[in-house]
Amino acid sequence: AQSVTQLGSHVSVSEGALVLLRCNYSSSVPPYLFWYVQYPNQGLQLLLKYTSAATLVKGINGFEAEFKKSETSFHLTKPSAHMSDAAEYFCAVTYPRYSSASKIIFGSGTRLSIRP
Amino acid sequence: EAGVTQFPSHSVIEKGQTVTLRCDPISGHDNLYWYRRVMGKEIKFLLHFVKESKQDESGMPNNRFLAERTGGTYSTLKVQPAELEDSGVYFCASSQIGVLNTEAFFGQGTRLTVV
């Protein structure tokens, strides 16, 4: 069964430090991968997506993620954290070649806190 | 352009009561999805409409949940009767083609608390 695992339900970094949120997927078929962010009292917003083009994907607000097939990973990074990055981040996957591809499968989320 | 809107934003009901959640997708979006997040867990797929037809309802937890999308515009999700384990945040999303090809836009969610 396809699944998404996010390591760490809560990550805390200092302002200006590197942000690294981990995501691994399990699949035997090529996936499309997404990172969504949910700011307090808001809906889910797409940060970036990988759809089999460039393996390094750049998103909004300075975030980027790299698809590594050999590691089945799609970790999210940002070189320098800002206070406004505090939010919950969700990794998600879908499989375009299968009938179940109409649904996005989400990870359990990682809450990012930024220390002043 | 208005985004995906959900009503109400919060709902607190007693066990055994009925609640109806509403989702207004982005105008012109044929695809409409319902998801649910139980506290601290992953966001789980409930069902998918293409226009007014249910394309996939494999995630609906049981027959206490009824989703409709009359006319292919807004959708409702009714829970009757509600149980304690139904508490969570219910998200709606819409997209133009398949979620594969375009971004799926999510609403703010409805936080349902069953007491």
Side-chain angles (χ1 to χ4, degrees):
Chain A
Q2 299 94 349
S3 66
V4 178
T5 302
Q6 291 183 241
L7 296 178
S9 59
H10 186 206
V11 171
S12 179
V13 302
S14 297
E15 189 175 19
L18 170 72
V19 175
L20 170 61
L21 305 184
R22 299 178 184 275
C23 173
N24 289 84
Y25 66 94
S26 66
S27 170
S28 58
V29 299
Y32 285 1
L33 292 155
F34 308 83
W35 275 98
Y36 282 85
V37 60
Q38 185 179 21
Y39 297 103
N41 300 317
Q42 296 187 25
L44 291 167
Q45 179 181 1
L46 182 67
L47 265 181
L48 48 80
K49 61 182 177 182
Y50 164 77
T51 57
S52 73
T55 57
L56 181 62
V57 181
K58 293 187 184 299
I60 61 173
N61 302 336
F63 284 93
E64 62 182 37
E66 186 172 8
F67 172 67
K68 292 187 176 181
K69 183 178 178 180
S70 61
E71 299 177 7
T72 61
S73 69
F74 191 58
H75 302 331
L76 181 71
T77 61
K78 181 174 180 177
S80 178
H82 191 272
M83 296 300 291
S84 61
D85 295 326
E88 191 158 19
Y89 293 79
F90 295 90
C91 183
V93 64
T94 191
Y95 298 91
R97 297 183 184 178
Y98 291 81
S99 60
S100 63
S102 63
K103 51 190 168 188
I104 302 173
I105 300 169
F106 285 89
S108 56
T110 298
R111 186 168 298 279
L112 176 64
S113 300
I114 312 297
R115 301 187 300 271
Chain B
E1 179 183 344
V4 177
T5 53
Q6 293 186 242
F7 303 95
S9 57
H10 294 82
S11 180
V12 181
I13 62 171
E14 293 184 350
K15 176 182 174 181
Q17 289 186 321
T18 298
V19 63
T20 300
L21 314 180
R22 172 169 169 148
C23 169
D24 286 72
I26 292 173
S27 178
H29 283 192
D30 288 339
N31 292 284
L32 187 149
Y33 309 83
W34 283 99
Y35 286 81
R36 175 174 75 171
R37 187 185 192 201
V38 174
M39 184 182 293
K41 299 193 175 180
E42 68 269 27
I43 301 169
K44 285 197 170 180
F45 169 83
L46 296 179
L47 87 160
H48 170 208
F49 283 100
V50 176
K51 297 185 180 178
E52 68 275 9
S53 299
K54 292 177 184 175
Q55 180 76 11
D56 180 356
E57 52 183 332
S58 61
M60 293 288 265
N62 52 61
N63 59 11
R64 295 185 293 102
F65 288 75
L66 174 64
E68 295 180 321
R69 194 184 181 193
T70 306
T73 54
Y74 71 90
S75 174
T76 58
L77 180 64
K78 180 189 287 187
V79 185
Q80 179 183 29
E83 298 289 344
L84 298 179
E85 63 265 26
D86 301 332
S87 296
V89 180
Y90 290 76
F91 291 102
C92 176
S94 72
S95 69
Q96 279 185 312
I97 315 173
V99 69
L100 324 169
N101 300 313
T102 64
E103 176 182 347
F105 294 85
F106 282 79
Q108 293 184 314
T110 293
R111 181 175 296 279
L112 175 64
T113 304
V114 183
V115 296

Short mmCIF file of all heavy atoms in Angstrom, two decimals, chain A residues 7-66:
data_model
loop_
_atom_site.label_atom_id
_atom_site.label_comp_id
_atom_site.label_asym_id
_atom_site.label_seq_id
_atom_site.Cartn_x
_atom_site.Cartn_y
_atom_site.Cartn_z
N LEU A 7 8.92 12.27 9.27
CA LEU A 7 9.68 12.03 10.49
C LEU A 7 9.68 13.28 11.36
O LEU A 7 10.17 14.32 10.93
CB LEU A 7 11.11 11.63 10.13
CG LEU A 7 11.23 10.30 9.38
CD1 LEU A 7 12.67 10.02 9.02
CD2 LEU A 7 10.66 9.17 10.21
N GLY A 8 9.14 13.12 12.55
CA GLY A 8 9.09 14.26 13.46
C GLY A 8 7.76 14.99 13.36
O GLY A 8 7.48 15.64 12.36
N SER A 9 6.96 14.88 14.39
CA SER A 9 5.68 15.58 14.38
C SER A 9 5.88 17.05 14.73
O SER A 9 5.01 17.88 14.42
CB SER A 9 4.71 14.95 15.38
OG SER A 9 5.25 14.99 16.69
N HIS A 10 7.01 17.37 15.35
CA HIS A 10 7.30 18.75 15.72
C HIS A 10 8.79 19.01 15.54
O HIS A 10 9.62 18.26 16.04
CB HIS A 10 6.90 18.98 17.20
CG HIS A 10 7.04 20.41 17.62
ND1 HIS A 10 7.26 20.78 18.92
CD2 HIS A 10 7.01 21.56 16.90
CE1 HIS A 10 7.35 22.11 19.00
NE2 HIS A 10 7.20 22.60 17.78
N VAL A 11 9.08 20.08 14.81
CA VAL A 11 10.47 20.50 14.59
C VAL A 11 10.59 21.96 15.03
O VAL A 11 9.73 22.78 14.69
CB VAL A 11 10.85 20.37 13.10
CG1 VAL A 11 12.20 21.02 12.82
CG2 VAL A 11 10.87 18.90 12.70
N SER A 12 11.64 22.26 15.77
CA SER A 12 11.88 23.62 16.23
C SER A 12 13.28 24.05 15.80
O SER A 12 14.24 23.34 16.02
CB SER A 12 11.77 23.67 17.76
OG SER A 12 12.02 24.99 18.24
N VAL A 13 13.34 25.22 15.16
CA VAL A 13 14.63 25.76 14.72
C VAL A 13 14.71 27.22 15.11
O VAL A 13 13.69 27.89 15.34
CB VAL A 13 14.83 25.61 13.19
CG1 VAL A 13 14.74 24.15 12.77
CG2 VAL A 13 13.86 26.47 12.42
N SER A 14 15.91 27.74 15.15
CA SER A 14 16.11 29.16 15.44
C SER A 14 15.91 29.99 14.18
O SER A 14 16.14 29.50 13.06
CB SER A 14 17.52 29.39 15.98
OG SER A 14 17.71 28.71 17.20
N GLU A 15 15.49 31.19 14.36
CA GLU A 15 15.34 32.10 13.23
C GLU A 15 16.69 32.24 12.53
O GLU A 15 17.73 32.42 13.17
CB GLU A 15 14.84 33.46 13.71
CG GLU A 15 14.45 34.40 12.59
CD GLU A 15 13.84 35.70 13.11
OE1 GLU A 15 14.03 36.02 14.30
OE2 GLU A 15 13.16 36.39 12.32
N GLY A 16 16.67 32.10 11.20
CA GLY A 16 17.91 32.17 10.43
C GLY A 16 18.58 30.83 10.21
O GLY A 16 19.50 30.72 9.38
N ALA A 17 18.15 29.81 10.92
CA ALA A 17 18.74 28.48 10.77
C ALA A 17 18.10 27.73 9.60
O ALA A 17 17.05 28.10 9.10
CB ALA A 17 18.57 27.68 12.05
N LEU A 18 18.77 26.64 9.23
CA LEU A 18 18.27 25.78 8.16
C LEU A 18 17.01 25.05 8.62
O LEU A 18 16.93 24.54 9.74
CB LEU A 18 19.33 24.77 7.76
CG LEU A 18 18.91 23.64 6.83
CD1 LEU A 18 18.68 24.17 5.42
CD2 LEU A 18 19.94 22.51 6.82
N VAL A 19 16.02 24.98 7.72
CA VAL A 19 14.84 24.18 7.98
C VAL A 19 14.94 22.91 7.14
O VAL A 19 15.21 22.96 5.93
CB VAL A 19 13.56 24.94 7.58
CG1 VAL A 19 12.33 24.03 7.73
CG2 VAL A 19 13.40 26.20 8.41
N LEU A 20 14.74 21.78 7.80
CA LEU A 20 14.72 20.49 7.09
C LEU A 20 13.55 19.68 7.63
O LEU A 20 13.54 19.30 8.80
CB LEU A 20 16.03 19.73 7.31
CG LEU A 20 16.05 18.28 6.82
CD1 LEU A 20 15.80 18.19 5.31
CD2 LEU A 20 17.37 17.60 7.17
N LEU A 21 12.59 19.42 6.79
CA LEU A 21 11.44 18.58 7.16
C LEU A 21 11.50 17.35 6.28
O LEU A 21 11.55 17.45 5.06
CB LEU A 21 10.13 19.34 6.94
CG LEU A 21 9.99 20.69 7.66
CD1 LEU A 21 8.59 21.26 7.42
CD2 LEU A 21 10.27 20.57 9.14
N ARG A 22 11.44 16.20 6.94
CA ARG A 22 11.67 14.95 6.22
C ARG A 22 10.38 14.27 5.78
O ARG A 22 9.40 14.25 6.53
CB ARG A 22 12.48 13.99 7.10
CG ARG A 22 13.85 14.54 7.48
CD ARG A 22 14.59 13.59 8.40
NE ARG A 22 15.85 14.15 8.85
CZ ARG A 22 16.99 14.07 8.17
NH1 ARG A 22 17.02 13.43 7.01
NH2 ARG A 22 18.09 14.61 8.66
N CYS A 23 10.46 13.69 4.61
CA CYS A 23 9.32 12.96 4.06
C CYS A 23 9.83 11.78 3.25
O CYS A 23 10.69 11.93 2.38
CB CYS A 23 8.48 13.87 3.16
SG CYS A 23 7.16 13.02 2.26
N ASN A 24 9.28 10.62 3.55
CA ASN A 24 9.57 9.42 2.77
C ASN A 24 8.25 8.81 2.30
O ASN A 24 7.26 8.86 3.02
CB ASN A 24 10.36 8.40 3.58
CG ASN A 24 11.78 8.84 3.83
OD1 ASN A 24 12.06 9.60 4.77
ND2 ASN A 24 12.69 8.39 3.00
N TYR A 25 8.29 8.24 1.13
CA TYR A 25 7.09 7.60 0.61
C TYR A 25 7.40 6.14 0.31
O TYR A 25 8.55 5.77 0.11
CB TYR A 25 6.60 8.32 -0.65
CG TYR A 25 7.55 8.20 -1.81
CD1 TYR A 25 7.40 7.20 -2.76
CD2 TYR A 25 8.62 9.09 -1.96
CE1 TYR A 25 8.29 7.06 -3.80
CE2 TYR A 25 9.51 8.96 -3.00
CZ TYR A 25 9.36 7.95 -3.92
OH TYR A 25 10.25 7.81 -4.94
N SER A 26 6.37 5.35 0.30
CA SER A 26 6.54 3.95 -0.07
C SER A 26 5.70 3.70 -1.30
O SER A 26 4.49 3.97 -1.29
CB SER A 26 6.12 3.02 1.06
OG SER A 26 4.74 3.11 1.28
N SER A 27 6.37 3.25 -2.34
CA SER A 27 5.65 3.01 -3.58
C SER A 27 6.54 2.25 -4.54
O SER A 27 7.75 2.44 -4.55
CB SER A 27 5.28 4.34 -4.22
OG SER A 27 4.78 4.14 -5.52
N SER A 28 5.91 1.44 -5.35
CA SER A 28 6.67 0.73 -6.38
C SER A 28 6.46 1.35 -7.74
O SER A 28 6.98 0.88 -8.75
CB SER A 28 6.22 -0.74 -6.41
OG SER A 28 4.84 -0.81 -6.66
N VAL A 29 5.69 2.43 -7.78
CA VAL A 29 5.41 3.12 -9.04
C VAL A 29 5.76 4.60 -8.90
O VAL A 29 5.81 5.12 -7.79
CB VAL A 29 3.93 2.95 -9.44
CG1 VAL A 29 3.60 1.49 -9.64
CG2 VAL A 29 3.02 3.57 -8.40
N PRO A 30 6.01 5.25 -10.02
CA PRO A 30 6.41 6.66 -9.95
C PRO A 30 5.32 7.53 -9.36
O PRO A 30 4.17 7.48 -9.78
CB PRO A 30 6.64 7.01 -11.43
CG PRO A 30 6.90 5.72 -12.10
CD PRO A 30 6.05 4.71 -11.38
N PRO A 31 5.68 8.31 -8.37
CA PRO A 31 4.69 9.18 -7.73
C PRO A 31 4.77 10.63 -8.20
O PRO A 31 5.75 11.04 -8.80
CB PRO A 31 5.11 9.10 -6.27
CG PRO A 31 6.62 9.08 -6.35
CD PRO A 31 6.94 8.30 -7.63
N TYR A 32 3.70 11.35 -7.92
CA TYR A 32 3.77 12.81 -7.89
C TYR A 32 3.81 13.17 -6.41
O TYR A 32 3.09 12.58 -5.61
CB TYR A 32 2.54 13.45 -8.53
CG TYR A 32 2.48 13.41 -10.04
CD1 TYR A 32 3.48 12.81 -10.81
CD2 TYR A 32 1.41 13.97 -10.72
CE1 TYR A 32 3.41 12.78 -12.19
CE2 TYR A 32 1.33 13.96 -12.10
CZ TYR A 32 2.33 13.36 -12.83
OH TYR A 32 2.25 13.34 -14.19
N LEU A 33 4.61 14.14 -6.05
CA LEU A 33 4.79 14.50 -4.64
C LEU A 33 4.51 15.97 -4.40
O LEU A 33 4.79 16.81 -5.27
CB LEU A 33 6.22 14.16 -4.22
CG LEU A 33 6.53 12.66 -4.17
CD1 LEU A 33 8.00 12.40 -4.37
CD2 LEU A 33 6.04 12.06 -2.87
N PHE A 34 3.98 16.26 -3.24
CA PHE A 34 3.58 17.62 -2.91
C PHE A 34 4.01 17.95 -1.47
O PHE A 34 4.11 17.06 -0.62
CB PHE A 34 2.05 17.78 -2.96
CG PHE A 34 1.41 17.33 -4.24
CD1 PHE A 34 1.11 15.99 -4.45
CD2 PHE A 34 1.07 18.25 -5.21
CE1 PHE A 34 0.50 15.57 -5.63
CE2 PHE A 34 0.46 17.83 -6.40
CZ PHE A 34 0.18 16.50 -6.60
N TRP A 35 4.20 19.23 -1.23
CA TRP A 35 4.26 19.75 0.14
C TRP A 35 3.19 20.83 0.24
O TRP A 35 3.12 21.75 -0.59
CB TRP A 35 5.63 20.35 0.46
CG TRP A 35 6.64 19.36 0.93
CD1 TRP A 35 7.62 18.76 0.20
CD2 TRP A 35 6.78 18.85 2.27
NE1 TRP A 35 8.35 17.91 0.98
CE2 TRP A 35 7.86 17.94 2.25
CE3 TRP A 35 6.11 19.07 3.47
CZ2 TRP A 35 8.28 17.26 3.41
CZ3 TRP A 35 6.52 18.40 4.61
CH2 TRP A 35 7.60 17.49 4.57
N TYR A 36 2.36 20.67 1.28
CA TYR A 36 1.35 21.67 1.60
C TYR A 36 1.70 22.29 2.95
O TYR A 36 2.30 21.66 3.83
CB TYR A 36 -0.04 21.04 1.71
CG TYR A 36 -0.69 20.74 0.38
CD1 TYR A 36 -0.44 19.56 -0.31
CD2 TYR A 36 -1.59 21.65 -0.18
CE1 TYR A 36 -1.05 19.30 -1.52
CE2 TYR A 36 -2.20 21.39 -1.40
CZ TYR A 36 -1.94 20.22 -2.06
OH TYR A 36 -2.53 19.96 -3.26
N VAL A 37 1.25 23.53 3.14
CA VAL A 37 1.45 24.22 4.41
C VAL A 37 0.11 24.72 4.91
O VAL A 37 -0.75 25.14 4.13
CB VAL A 37 2.46 25.39 4.28
CG1 VAL A 37 1.98 26.42 3.28
CG2 VAL A 37 2.71 26.05 5.62
N GLN A 38 -0.07 24.64 6.22
CA GLN A 38 -1.28 25.19 6.84
C GLN A 38 -0.87 26.18 7.91
O GLN A 38 -0.33 25.79 8.96
CB GLN A 38 -2.16 24.10 7.44
CG GLN A 38 -3.48 24.64 7.96
CD GLN A 38 -4.38 23.57 8.54
OE1 GLN A 38 -3.94 22.50 8.92
NE2 GLN A 38 -5.67 23.86 8.60
N TYR A 39 -1.11 27.46 7.65
CA TYR A 39 -0.88 28.48 8.66
C TYR A 39 -2.08 28.50 9.61
O TYR A 39 -3.17 28.04 9.25
CB TYR A 39 -0.69 29.84 7.99
CG TYR A 39 0.53 29.89 7.10
CD1 TYR A 39 0.40 29.83 5.72
CD2 TYR A 39 1.82 29.98 7.64
CE1 TYR A 39 1.51 29.86 4.89
CE2 TYR A 39 2.93 30.00 6.82
CZ TYR A 39 2.77 29.93 5.44
OH TYR A 39 3.87 29.95 4.62
N PRO A 40 -1.90 29.01 10.81
CA PRO A 40 -3.00 29.03 11.77
C PRO A 40 -4.27 29.66 11.20
O PRO A 40 -4.22 30.72 10.57
CB PRO A 40 -2.42 29.87 12.92
CG PRO A 40 -0.94 29.66 12.83
CD PRO A 40 -0.65 29.55 11.36
N ASN A 41 -5.36 28.95 11.39
CA ASN A 41 -6.69 29.44 10.98
C ASN A 41 -6.83 29.63 9.47
O ASN A 41 -7.67 30.41 9.02
CB ASN A 41 -7.03 30.75 11.70
CG ASN A 41 -7.04 30.59 13.20
OD1 ASN A 41 -7.57 29.60 13.73
ND2 ASN A 41 -6.43 31.52 13.90
N GLN A 42 -6.02 28.93 8.72
CA GLN A 42 -6.12 29.00 7.27
C GLN A 42 -6.23 27.60 6.68
O GLN A 42 -6.07 26.60 7.37
CB GLN A 42 -4.91 29.74 6.68
CG GLN A 42 -4.83 31.20 7.09
CD GLN A 42 -3.72 31.93 6.36
OE1 GLN A 42 -3.32 31.55 5.25
NE2 GLN A 42 -3.22 32.99 6.97
N GLY A 43 -6.53 27.55 5.38
CA GLY A 43 -6.61 26.26 4.70
C GLY A 43 -5.25 25.77 4.28
O GLY A 43 -4.23 26.40 4.56
N LEU A 44 -5.24 24.63 3.62
CA LEU A 44 -3.99 24.07 3.11
C LEU A 44 -3.58 24.81 1.85
O LEU A 44 -4.38 25.02 0.95
CB LEU A 44 -4.17 22.59 2.78
CG LEU A 44 -4.38 21.66 3.97
CD1 LEU A 44 -4.87 20.31 3.50
CD2 LEU A 44 -3.09 21.52 4.75
N GLN A 45 -2.31 25.15 1.78
CA GLN A 45 -1.78 25.88 0.62
C GLN A 45 -0.64 25.08 0.02
O GLN A 45 0.24 24.60 0.73
CB GLN A 45 -1.29 27.26 1.08
CG GLN A 45 -0.71 28.12 -0.03
CD GLN A 45 -0.21 29.45 0.48
OE1 GLN A 45 -0.27 29.74 1.68
NE2 GLN A 45 0.30 30.27 -0.41
N LEU A 46 -0.64 24.96 -1.29
CA LEU A 46 0.43 24.22 -1.95
C LEU A 46 1.73 25.01 -1.91
O LEU A 46 1.78 26.16 -2.34
CB LEU A 46 0.05 23.93 -3.41
CG LEU A 46 1.06 23.11 -4.20
CD1 LEU A 46 1.13 21.68 -3.65
CD2 LEU A 46 0.69 23.08 -5.69
N LEU A 47 2.79 24.37 -1.39
CA LEU A 47 4.11 24.98 -1.37
C LEU A 47 4.87 24.69 -2.66
O LEU A 47 5.47 25.56 -3.26
CB LEU A 47 4.94 24.41 -0.21
CG LEU A 47 4.99 25.14 1.12
CD1 LEU A 47 5.89 24.37 2.06
CD2 LEU A 47 5.47 26.57 0.95
N LEU A 48 4.87 23.42 -3.04
CA LEU A 48 5.56 22.99 -4.24
C LEU A 48 5.10 21.59 -4.62
O LEU A 48 4.46 20.91 -3.82
CB LEU A 48 7.09 23.02 -4.03
CG LEU A 48 7.65 22.37 -2.77
CD1 LEU A 48 7.76 20.87 -2.91
CD2 LEU A 48 9.03 22.95 -2.43
N LYS A 49 5.46 21.19 -5.86
CA LYS A 49 5.08 19.86 -6.31
C LYS A 49 6.12 19.30 -7.26
O LYS A 49 6.76 20.05 -8.01
CB LYS A 49 3.70 19.86 -6.97
CG LYS A 49 3.59 20.73 -8.22
CD LYS A 49 2.17 20.70 -8.77
CE LYS A 49 2.02 21.63 -9.98
NZ LYS A 49 0.62 21.65 -10.48
N TYR A 50 6.26 18.01 -7.23
CA TYR A 50 7.13 17.29 -8.15
C TYR A 50 6.24 16.40 -9.02
O TYR A 50 5.45 15.60 -8.51
CB TYR A 50 8.13 16.41 -7.38
CG TYR A 50 8.78 15.38 -8.25
CD1 TYR A 50 9.80 15.73 -9.13
CD2 TYR A 50 8.35 14.06 -8.23
CE1 TYR A 50 10.38 14.78 -9.95
CE2 TYR A 50 8.93 13.10 -9.05
CZ TYR A 50 9.93 13.47 -9.91
OH TYR A 50 10.50 12.53 -10.73
N THR A 51 6.40 16.58 -10.35
CA THR A 51 5.57 15.78 -11.26
C THR A 51 6.42 15.19 -12.37
O THR A 51 6.04 15.21 -13.54
CB THR A 51 4.44 16.64 -11.86
OG1 THR A 51 5.04 17.78 -12.51
CG2 THR A 51 3.49 17.11 -10.80
N SER A 52 7.56 14.66 -12.02
CA SER A 52 8.46 13.91 -12.89
C SER A 52 9.27 14.78 -13.84
O SER A 52 9.79 14.28 -14.83
CB SER A 52 7.71 12.83 -13.69
OG SER A 52 6.92 13.41 -14.70
N ALA A 53 9.40 16.03 -13.57
CA ALA A 53 10.30 16.89 -14.35
C ALA A 53 11.61 17.01 -13.54
O ALA A 53 12.20 16.01 -13.18
CB ALA A 53 9.66 18.24 -14.62
N ALA A 54 12.04 18.20 -13.26
CA ALA A 54 13.27 18.40 -12.51
C ALA A 54 13.13 17.82 -11.11
O ALA A 54 12.10 17.97 -10.46
CB ALA A 54 13.60 19.89 -12.42
N THR A 55 14.19 17.17 -10.63
CA THR A 55 14.11 16.54 -9.31
C THR A 55 14.23 17.54 -8.18
O THR A 55 13.79 17.27 -7.06
CB THR A 55 15.20 15.47 -9.16
OG1 THR A 55 16.48 16.08 -9.39
CG2 THR A 55 15.00 14.34 -10.15
N LEU A 56 14.82 18.70 -8.45
CA LEU A 56 14.89 19.76 -7.44
C LEU A 56 13.79 20.76 -7.76
O LEU A 56 13.79 21.37 -8.83
CB LEU A 56 16.26 20.44 -7.46
CG LEU A 56 16.45 21.55 -6.42
CD1 LEU A 56 16.32 20.98 -5.00
CD2 LEU A 56 17.80 22.24 -6.61
N VAL A 57 12.88 20.88 -6.84
CA VAL A 57 11.70 21.70 -7.08
C VAL A 57 11.73 22.91 -6.16
O VAL A 57 11.95 22.77 -4.95
CB VAL A 57 10.41 20.90 -6.80
CG1 VAL A 57 9.18 21.74 -7.08
CG2 VAL A 57 10.39 19.63 -7.63
N LYS A 58 11.51 24.07 -6.73
CA LYS A 58 11.47 25.29 -5.93
C LYS A 58 10.02 25.71 -5.73
O LYS A 58 9.21 25.65 -6.67
CB LYS A 58 12.26 26.39 -6.62
CG LYS A 58 13.76 26.10 -6.67
CD LYS A 58 14.54 27.29 -7.20
CE LYS A 58 16.02 26.93 -7.35
NZ LYS A 58 16.62 26.57 -6.03
N GLY A 59 9.72 26.15 -4.52
CA GLY A 59 8.36 26.55 -4.22
C GLY A 59 8.28 27.99 -3.75
O GLY A 59 9.20 28.78 -3.96
N ILE A 60 7.20 28.29 -3.09
CA ILE A 60 7.00 29.65 -2.61
C ILE A 60 7.74 29.87 -1.29
O ILE A 60 8.12 28.91 -0.62
CB ILE A 60 5.50 29.96 -2.42
CG1 ILE A 60 4.88 29.02 -1.37
CG2 ILE A 60 4.76 29.88 -3.75
CD1 ILE A 60 3.45 29.36 -1.01
N ASN A 61 7.95 31.13 -0.96
CA ASN A 61 8.55 31.52 0.31
C ASN A 61 9.94 30.95 0.55
O ASN A 61 10.36 30.78 1.69
CB ASN A 61 7.64 31.13 1.49
CG ASN A 61 6.26 31.76 1.39
OD1 ASN A 61 6.09 32.80 0.74
ND2 ASN A 61 5.27 31.14 1.99
N GLY A 62 10.67 30.67 -0.51
CA GLY A 62 12.05 30.21 -0.39
C GLY A 62 12.24 28.74 -0.10
O GLY A 62 13.36 28.29 0.13
N PHE A 63 11.17 27.97 -0.10
CA PHE A 63 11.26 26.54 0.15
C PHE A 63 11.62 25.78 -1.13
O PHE A 63 11.28 26.20 -2.23
CB PHE A 63 9.94 26.00 0.70
CG PHE A 63 9.70 26.33 2.15
CD1 PHE A 63 8.99 27.46 2.50
CD2 PHE A 63 10.20 25.51 3.14
CE1 PHE A 63 8.77 27.77 3.83
CE2 PHE A 63 9.98 25.80 4.48
CZ PHE A 63 9.27 26.94 4.83
N GLU A 64 12.29 24.67 -0.95
CA GLU A 64 12.55 23.77 -2.05
C GLU A 64 12.59 22.33 -1.54
O GLU A 64 12.73 22.09 -0.34
CB GLU A 64 13.84 24.12 -2.79
CG GLU A 64 15.11 24.03 -1.97
CD GLU A 64 16.34 24.44 -2.79
OE1 GLU A 64 16.24 25.37 -3.61
OE2 GLU A 64 17.40 23.82 -2.58
N ALA A 65 12.44 21.39 -2.46
CA ALA A 65 12.47 19.98 -2.10
C ALA A 65 13.13 19.21 -3.23
O ALA A 65 13.04 19.59 -4.40
CB ALA A 65 11.07 19.45 -1.85
N GLU A 66 13.79 18.14 -2.86
CA GLU A 66 14.48 17.32 -3.85
C GLU A 66 13.93 15.91 -3.84
O GLU A 66 13.86 15.25 -2.79
CB GLU A 66 15.98 17.27 -3.59
CG GLU A 66 16.75 16.53 -4.68
CD GLU A 66 18.25 16.65 -4.52
OE1 GLU A 66 18.72 17.15 -3.48
OE2 GLU A 66 18.97 16.22 -5.44
#
